[in-house]
Amino acid sequence: MWVCAVRRRDGRRVVFGRPGAPEAPVHQAVAASCAVPGYFAPVRIGRHTYVDGGVHSPTNAAVLRGRGLDLVVVVSPMSGPAGWSPGLHAATRRHAALLLAREVRALEREGVRTVVFAPGAAEQRAMGDDVMSRHDLGGVIQQAYLSAGVHAATPEVARLLHGAAGR
């Protein structure tokens, strides 16, 4: 298992669990990876403190390049079509979508097929502008579940997922 976080001292991505990375118990690596600045305190592991890996990239899919994988499934809740509405929330979604597209292109250039699950307009309406809000959490989960199922059932995605499951 690889878990991405960002070292606060220098802003570098650290992939816990990967050879050469600092040793970290799983619970601490996951806590560091979830330490969203402004919401949760950084997590100390060894001599350094770490924050959410999303500070570097919303998905960190690029760490999978060069691994000889057949298929990568990317879950990118921060990206998705934000349109061109003004505001920080829409700009953040556009930025996340650009980073995601760059990482997916890099994987696909290596011949790695990718399936991306990202929120569409309905999920974004359900989430609202504060993705950390617990307001209508059940509605957000329901909409995400239904939309993910529809996406997974599309012929292209279903073929890729079934092919990977058969290996």
Side-chain angles (χ1 to χ4, degrees):
M1 179 166 81
W2 289 359
V3 179
C4 297
V6 170
R7 189 171 45 219
R8 283 184 65 208
R9 177 186 61 143
D10 56 11
R12 305 222 8 127
R13 174 175 53 204
V14 173
V15 184
F16 293 109
R18 187 162 69 176
E23 290 288 321
V26 171
H27 72 281
Q28 284 187 315
V30 170
S33 179
C34 296
V36 177
Y39 285 95
F40 302 106
V43 174
R44 177 168 293 283
I45 299 173
R47 298 184 342 251
H48 300 288
T49 56
Y50 299 88
V51 295
D52 182 4
V55 169
H56 179 79
S57 161
T59 66
N60 287 289
V63 302
L64 299 173
R65 288 180 309 190
R67 306 303 305 175
L69 301 172
D70 296 322
L71 175 68
V72 170
V73 177
V74 180
V75 178
S76 185
M78 295 306 299
S79 63
W84 288 102
S85 61
L88 180 61
H89 180 69
T92 300
R93 283 206 178 278
R94 284 192 297 274
H95 179 70
L98 288 171
L99 292 174
L100 170 64
R102 185 180 308 147
E103 292 177 330
V104 168
R105 277 193 310 272
L107 288 166
E108 289 177 343
R109 276 194 302 272
E110 293 184 355
V112 179
R113 293 166 297 179
T114 60
V115 173
V116 175
F117 288 88
E123 295 82 25
Q124 289 179 37
R125 277 192 303 278
M127 284 189 281
D129 285 347
D130 182 1
V131 297
M132 299 298 282
S133 173
R134 296 178 75 86
H135 174 76
D136 195 25
L137 187 57
V140 173
I141 292 168
Q142 180 180 14
Q143 184 60 54
Y145 177 80
L146 293 172
S147 296
V150 167
H151 183 56
T154 61
E156 180 183 354
V157 173
R159 180 181 50 78
L160 288 170
L161 295 175
H162 284 106
R167 290 191 188 109

